[in-house]
Amino acid sequence: MRVIAKKTLRDFWEKHEDCEEQLKSWYHEAENALWTSPHQIKKQYPSASILADNRVVFNIKGNKYRLIVRINYDYGILWIRFIGTHAAYDKIDANTTK
């Protein structure tokens, strides 16, 4: 998958150093993934939440942080839509956040 944009993750882990390794690991796994459906993501990440409009929520660092992405499976592109604490996630609409 082509992940857009790593800088968003980097900016976040520079402020929240406790999740740097987990975000780097997720990025590496996503970049090397060949996901063509939400089912394939659930096989690799059983705790991921599949939302409408090809959005997926990943739990980072034991669910302390949440990562929302939007995926175009046909083109193999994944856009990061949100990265934040669980508390910040609770204040947004994961289905529409840009």
Side-chain angles (χ1 to χ4, degrees):
M1 303 294 294
R2 181 173 172 215
V3 180
I4 302 173
K6 185 177 184 179
K7 181 183 183 322
T8 303
L9 298 178
R10 186 180 313 114
D11 290 347
F12 188 79
W13 78 54
E14 286 176 356
K15 293 177 185 170
H16 303 273
E17 295 176 1
D18 63 326
C19 65
E20 179 177 357
E21 290 306 314
Q22 289 85 357
L23 286 174
K24 284 181 177 178
S25 177
W26 177 88
Y27 178 84
H28 179 71
E29 291 169 10
E31 190 176 46
N32 290 305
L34 300 173
W35 297 323
T36 59
S37 71
H39 178 73
Q40 290 180 328
I41 294 172
K42 287 293 280 184
K43 283 174 60 177
Q44 187 171 355
Y45 292 96
S47 66
S49 299
I50 307 300
L51 305 179
D53 198 25
N54 292 324
R55 289 175 178 254
V56 181
V57 180
F58 293 94
N59 299 320
I60 305 294
K61 194 168 173 41
N63 206 19
K64 183 175 181 180
Y65 302 103
R66 292 275 179 103
L67 172 65
I68 302 173
V69 302
R70 185 163 184 262
I71 301 173
N72 182 316
Y73 295 100
D74 293 334
Y75 291 97
I77 300 174
L78 181 154
W79 291 272
I80 295 170
R81 289 296 181 222
F82 172 87
I83 177 72
T85 64
H86 196 131
Y89 171 85
D90 288 341
K91 295 177 183 176
I92 65 163
D93 181 349
N95 289 300
T96 60
T97 191
K98 296 181 185 203

